[in-house]
Each structure stands twice: as structure tokens, then as C-alpha cells.
Amino acid sequence: MYYLKQIPYLLDKEFKENIEYKEYNVKELEDYCMCIWTMKSKKILNTTISNNILPDACIDIVIDFANSTICFAGFSKETKDFKLDKKIDYMGVRLKPSIFYLLFNIAADKVMDNEIPFKDIEKEIGIDRILDLENTNERIEYLKKYLLQKAKKQKEIPFMKVIEKLYENPKEQSVTDIAKEFGYNERNLYRVFKATFGVSPKVLLNILRLHLCLTFILEKKMNLIDIALFCGFYDQSHFIKEIKKYTGISPLKIIEDYK
């Protein structure tokens, strides 16, 4: 199952010292979101901290309690260095790829690599009351009720099957193969992917391969050569170069810091 790895505490040493980041898995929402996450400063920040956000093909609902704002945000192609300062109190819902399009019927590429106010997207149900809640469990419960209400009319989630298949075996997939399976030519497939996932087929494959590599690095007892081959890299050096491009550090350094 595709589960992305947002690991800011490994990518910036000051982050872990000053920021508390947590992910909460809500069983009732497992078809629709990866997790609900929180990010809070342990004290008022006197310096700027980097929050490195890896591209993940997900669109998040982001609530900033410190500044009383709610927006949708997504990142697709490059790692985003999001600067944090002063008081930090965020909560977010990390929607699974394609779920934003399913729930709101708005093309995902309108939001990807962008931040759009919540009210500009959501015309039916307001969630401003969450800004008055201070307890984390109450906030999570509020978001859970909202998403379940939003999703109650949805019976099928067809495009998540695409994600799972691509994630399980990225080495054997190509844009041409995907197009044939859907009965599209490559041009139409590109249009469908941009609307549904917010990214092109090629970018989606790269994102899934990145997070599969990180899962193997952090959770599986596999050597780096085997990971590189399984995920479709030409050789170990190409694999290391790609991981460093997104994370800024080598796979070995990630393993060392994680331990």
C-alpha cells in the first residue's frame, strides 16, 4: 500500500530540536487520507527552521491555528523548503492521490504546487469552527466528521487502484503501458492524470518510486543495491543521486539519522 514518507526530522537537524511533528492514522478515513498530521513548535522560535516537504502527489488541507487560516496545498515536482518561525501550530489532512478531485470535482493541477484558500474550493461545508478548538483530539474528531460527511456519497475510489499498482512495481511500468491499460493515447492520458492527480504520468511514477525507496531504506532489511534494482534505477550511483536530489542527503545518512 502506498504510504508516503514525510521525514522533516531527518532532513534538518534543527527541526527535531524545535518542532514536534506527528502523524495520526484514522481508521474510518483510511480510504481517503494518508493521515492527519500536526506540527507544533516546542517554544517560540527565535530563528528560522526548514521544513523540507517531499513531493508526494497528495493535496493537503492545511490549518494554521497561529494565523487562523485554512487552505489547500500540494507539492509535486521538487522538495519544498518551507520556512518556519515564531509560533508554529499546524494541523493537516493529507488526502490520498486523486481524492481531492473525487471529493471536490476540481482538477488537481489547479492546486498542485499552489496554496488556495479553503473557501475558494469548498462551497458547501464550512470548517472555520475548528480554529476555536485547542485540543488535538477534538480537532482530529472535527476533521474526521467533516471528511466522512464529504465522502458519504462516494461509493468507489477507482484511481487509487492505479496508484497501488504503480507503487507495487514501478520498475515494470511506463507511460505507454499505463495508456494502453486505460485505452488512452499518451496525450489523453496526460490530460486525465493532470486533472486527477495534478501531475503527469512520468512525474507520478518518479514520486511513487521515491517514496518506495524511502520505505525500503527506513523499514526493510535490504541493501542499497537491491533497493536500486527493484525500484528501476540504472545503478546504485544513479539511485543515490536521485535520493539526494529530493532529500539533500544520501541514503546511508538517512539510515544513520533514523537509527
Side-chain angles (χ1 to χ4, degrees):
M1 179 182 293
Y2 174 49
Y3 192 88
L4 58 95
K5 298 294 182 183
Q6 290 295 353
I7 47 176
Y9 48 89
L10 295 182
L11 306 184
D12 186 274
K13 65 179 182 179
E14 290 186 315
F15 184 97
K16 190 170 185 178
E17 297 172 1
N18 293 279
I19 306 291
E20 184 177 54
Y21 173 81
K22 290 184 178 181
E23 295 180 355
Y24 301 84
N25 296 307
V26 182
K27 184 173 178 57
E28 297 93 325
L29 299 176
E30 61 184 10
D31 287 338
Y32 299 97
C33 71
M34 294 285 183
C35 65
I36 292 177
W37 55 267
T38 59
M39 186 165 56
K40 297 183 179 182
S41 52
K42 298 177 182 179
K43 59 183 179 180
I44 302 296
L45 300 177
N46 296 318
T47 186
T48 300
I49 305 297
S50 290
N51 175 26
N52 294 290
I53 305 173
L54 300 175
D56 55 21
C58 294
I59 292 174
D60 290 27
I61 302 172
V62 182
I63 303 106
D64 181 351
F65 292 97
N67 295 295
S68 298
T69 63
I70 308 174
C71 72
F72 288 92
F75 301 99
S76 67
K77 295 180 181 178
E78 299 177 353
T79 298
K80 173 73 173 180
D81 183 5
F82 190 77
K83 299 299 185 182
L84 305 173
D85 59 14
K86 301 178 182 178
K87 180 181 179 181
I88 303 301
D89 187 2
Y90 285 102
M91 177 173 278
V93 179
R94 187 163 296 133
L95 298 173
K96 288 187 172 183
S98 80
I99 297 301
F100 172 84
Y101 179 69
L102 180 76
L103 296 182
F104 300 99
N105 197 31
I106 295 174
D109 62 343
K110 303 295 184 184
V111 181
M112 198 61 72
D113 297 313
N114 202 357
E115 293 183 10
I116 297 181
F118 183 83
K119 291 180 179 179
D120 289 357
I121 300 292
E122 175 58 271
K123 305 296 185 181
E124 299 176 353
I125 308 171
I127 64 169
D128 283 355
R129 198 174 73 80
I130 194 172
L131 296 170
D132 298 324
L133 302 178
E134 297 183 0
N135 180 273
T136 297
N137 290 332
E138 289 179 350
R139 291 173 175 178
I140 292 174
E141 189 65 24
Y142 185 90
L143 288 172
K144 183 179 80 172
K145 289 180 179 178
Y146 163 70
L147 288 167
L148 289 176
Q149 182 179 356
K150 194 70 183 174
K152 64 182 179 182
K153 297 179 182 179
Q154 307 300 331
K155 295 181 180 180
E156 294 185 8
I157 311 175
F159 281 98
M160 272 308 298
K161 295 177 182 178
V162 177
I163 291 290
E164 299 300 348
K165 184 174 182 180
L166 296 179
Y167 181 68
E168 287 173 4
N169 197 0
K171 181 178 180 179
E172 302 300 327
Q173 305 294 334
S174 71
V175 175
T176 303
D177 293 335
I178 301 167
K180 286 180 180 178
E181 184 170 339
F182 275 88
Y184 295 125
N185 59 39
E186 290 192 25
R187 182 176 179 181
N188 287 336
L189 185 75
Y190 179 90
R191 177 179 53 79
V192 170
F193 267 58
K194 290 286 280 187
T196 306
F197 300 111
V199 297
S200 69
K202 183 178 180 179
V203 169
L204 181 63
L205 281 169
N206 287 339
I207 290 172
L208 296 179
R209 186 166 65 169
L210 164 67
H211 288 281
L212 182 60
C213 287
L214 290 175
T215 295
F216 285 147
I217 289 170
L218 297 174
E219 297 180 4
K220 308 294 183 181
K221 293 182 179 179
M222 293 175 63
N223 63 52
L224 296 184
I225 295 176
D226 289 340
I227 294 174
L229 292 175
F230 184 87
C231 293
F233 290 98
Y234 305 119
D235 51 43
Q236 186 176 352
S237 63
H238 181 219
F239 160 67
I240 293 172
K241 182 179 178 181
E242 281 293 296
I243 296 299
K244 286 187 71 174
K245 181 178 79 172
Y246 288 109
T247 65
I249 55 179
S250 70
L252 286 174
K253 185 70 166 64
I254 291 174
I255 294 171
E256 179 184 328
D257 289 353
Y258 187 65
K259 289 180 178 179

